[in-house]
Amino acid sequence: MATIEVKNLSKVYGSGETKVTALDSVNLIIEQGQFVAVMGPSGCGKSTLLHLIGGLDRPTGGSVFIEGSDISKMSDNTLTELRRRKMGFVFQFFNLIPVLDAIENTALPLILDGIKPDIARTKASEWLSRNKLDGRGNHRPDELSGGQQQRVAISRAMVSDPVIILADEPTGNLDSRSSDEIAVALRKIVTDWKRTVLMVTHDPRIAAYADRIIFLKDGKVVDDTLLNGSNGENAKRLKEKVESL
Amino acid sequence: MVDSGLVTFSNANGQQSKGEYAITPTGHDELMNWFRMSNIEEPHQDPFYLKLMLSLELDEVDASRLIVIQRAALYQELHRITEQRQTLDPQNQLAQMLLMDKSAMHLEADLRWLDMIESRLDEVQRQPAPKPAMRPRGRPPSQNA
């Protein structure tokens, strides 16, 4: 069973003359433990695809299956539950809570979910250590570098043990060194913890860390490439592809 | 501002629209005070929050649906801002980029806030509805009075 399966997925906004087809009969199968980057020009439908897979929006046609369940047919409450249990979201900014330290920030989703604080703290510490933040657990966000804060954010996304991590331009605002740190952390989630990462990015250098790149244009998949070279070779290939599309 | 003594107005050639305004020493002090003042936005004036709290009081409105609708809209807006930001040139348009960063950060924070509300919605529903604080209404009394 695929982690994500998308069948004839379409999303149309508006109607009549103002009708915009954001996604046009897209089919995709994404297996567990795959790091997938979605690229394409502005307005190509990449964000719409991420929203539909993340259960943040409803398709106008077709279906999204998460571990075999059709989320397009789920009630709001069931979908919310699935999103909370199975999906983690990583944003551009970390939005960590300034008065909470790294452990408390990471443990917050569990505590809000009713997990006992000491259990939540233990799980949070484990994820911080997996993201190379040993010894930083008691530091508040203002005592951490940008890259470290984003790794706290990644730990926070992982702490509820999601199957899928959705990352929406996760490196949009970081300098290139921190961007690489994030890409490495996402890579690690896939390689070491066999989770599935779906990332929207415009940056070929960051996309080069993925296993597979899906290119969208005008709401359709125009290219689907598996990467197997070194990061440098991948980035060069991707840059050429972005320019050709 | 003329009445308050912050600026003076002169129109040498008699044409109302061609006159010149000049800042007075009082006006200059006021301007410097304005620069020194910090800016805190009013966190209680959140239309979504108001709507959500009202929905908890009405059987015909589903609060969790409001969250779903709001979340989808915030994500779309976040994407719009992100795409717009990417079209800017960091060498020449940094000022515009910083403003968009603010929007993106706030939108992301709002999304996290929605998650937080969502996970505690049952709890808040069981509690009595918040009562608005009574605040004086109408125009504040004039400074010069």
Side-chain angles (χ1 to χ4, degrees):
Chain A
M1 185 175 52
T3 301
I4 304 169
E5 187 172 359
V6 164
K7 277 190 189 165
N8 294 320
L9 193 66
S10 297
K11 179 73 185 179
V12 178
Y13 292 104
S15 60
E17 280 183 17
T18 57
K19 195 167 108 171
V20 178
T21 305
L23 221 52
D24 192 359
S25 295
V26 169
N27 288 290
L28 281 176
I29 292 180
I30 298 171
E31 301 293 347
Q32 187 195 335
Q34 208 170 42
F35 186 175
V36 181
V38 182
M39 302 187 77
S42 168
C44 69
K46 54 187 193 293
S47 57
T48 306
L49 179 66
L50 197 82
H51 290 182
L52 294 175
I53 290 174
L56 301 161
D57 206 352
R58 300 277 181 176
T60 39
S63 309
V64 176
F65 296 87
I66 302 294
E67 294 193 308
S69 311
D70 185 354
I71 67 166
S72 13
K73 292 202 172 70
M74 285 179 183
S75 71
D76 282 347
N77 289 346
T78 318
L79 187 54
T80 295
E81 200 60 20
L82 177 129
R83 228 172 39 79
R84 274 164 62 185
R85 302 271 173 253
K86 302 214 162 169
M87 297 182 192
F89 289 81
V90 172
F91 290 129
Q92 293 169 63
F93 298 97
F94 334 111
N95 275 319
L96 299 172
I97 297 181
V99 294
L100 300 183
D101 67 22
I103 292 179
E104 291 161 340
N105 265 293
T106 307
L108 192 62
L110 294 180
I111 292 169
L112 288 174
D113 242 4
I115 308 255
K116 284 201 178 112
D118 52 333
I119 298 173
R121 286 183 70 91
T122 308
K123 285 198 85 174
S125 301
E126 283 167 14
W127 274 108
L128 290 174
S129 140
R130 285 167 190 161
N131 282 313
K132 294 203 165 62
L133 290 163
D134 299 274
R136 303 269 175 216
N138 298 319
H139 290 222
R140 286 198 315 266
D142 62 351
E143 298 165 326
L144 299 168
S145 71
Q148 286 172 336
Q149 288 182 42
Q150 182 69 312
R151 278 184 281 141
V152 174
I154 288 174
S155 307
R156 177 180 59 187
M158 289 303 293
V159 79
S160 359
D161 220 10
V163 181
I164 303 166
I165 293 283
L166 298 171
D168 196 352
E169 296 283 0
T171 61
N173 197 265
L174 298 168
D175 59 71
S176 63
R177 207 176 120 245
S178 307
S179 295
D180 280 308
E181 277 186 40
I182 301 317
V184 167
L186 289 171
R187 177 72 258 172
K188 199 173 149 68
I189 285 170
V190 175
T191 311
D192 296 358
W193 313 106
K194 307 288 176 255
R195 301 311 201 286
T196 305
V197 171
L198 185 65
M199 166 178 78
V200 165
T201 185
H202 69 287
D203 186 348
R205 222 169 41 82
I206 296 307
Y209 285 86
D211 300 312
R212 177 180 172 190
I213 316 285
I214 293 164
F215 286 93
L216 289 179
K217 197 178 177 186
D218 301 327
K220 288 183 169 43
V221 175
V222 289
D223 197 281
D224 191 342
T225 306
L226 288 175
L227 296 179
N228 39 29
S230 70
N231 269 8
E233 290 165 29
N234 288 344
K236 190 166 168 280
R237 247 178 87 197
L238 284 172
K239 198 163 175 286
E240 286 164 7
K241 197 155 258 178
V242 169
E243 279 157 12
S244 77
L245 288 169
Chain B
M1 283 199 283
V2 174
D3 289 347
S4 312
L6 302 174
V7 292
T8 53
F9 178 76
S10 64
N11 57 342
N13 53 15
Q15 280 176 289
Q16 195 68 26
S17 59
K18 294 274 182 185
E20 269 186 8
Y21 289 95
I23 195 160
T24 63
T26 317
H28 184 263
D29 286 349
E30 193 59 32
L31 180 65
M32 291 301 116
N33 277 337
W34 178 76
F35 275 117
R36 278 192 291 267
M37 246 179 347
S38 59
N39 295 85
I40 307 288
E41 281 165 35
E42 176 64 78
H44 304 300
Q45 289 176 354
D46 185 307
F48 172 76
Y49 175 80
L50 183 69
K51 212 184 267 184
L52 187 76
M53 288 302 133
L54 290 172
S55 78
L56 297 179
E57 296 295 298
L58 295 171
D59 290 339
E60 60 188 308
V61 189
D62 177 5
S64 49
R65 185 94 264 271
L66 297 189
I67 296 177
V68 170
I69 295 169
Q70 181 74 357
R71 181 183 283 120
L74 289 175
Y75 267 99
Q76 280 190 0
E77 182 60 9
L78 183 57
H79 275 288
R80 196 184 65 77
I81 297 283
T82 306
E83 294 218 319
Q84 218 176 324
R85 188 185 185 281
Q86 278 159 16
T87 62
L88 299 175
D89 172 11
Q91 305 301 323
N92 296 306
Q93 293 171 299
L94 191 55
Q96 291 93 317
M97 287 176 94
L98 290 173
L99 188 60
M100 290 197 168
D101 284 348
K102 178 193 163 153
S103 303
M105 279 178 144
H106 279 249
L107 287 163
E108 289 184 0
D110 277 349
L111 283 162
R112 295 252 172 247
W113 180 60
L114 283 187
D115 287 347
M116 201 179 273
I117 296 173
E118 195 170 60
S119 65
R120 310 194 76 169
L121 196 58
D122 292 343
E123 214 177 319
V124 76
Q125 261 165 336
R126 286 196 299 268
Q127 295 186 5
K131 294 270 180 290
M134 293 305 285
R135 281 195 282 187
R137 299 188 59 164
R139 254 174 113 111
S142 165
Q143 297 283 325
N144 301 333

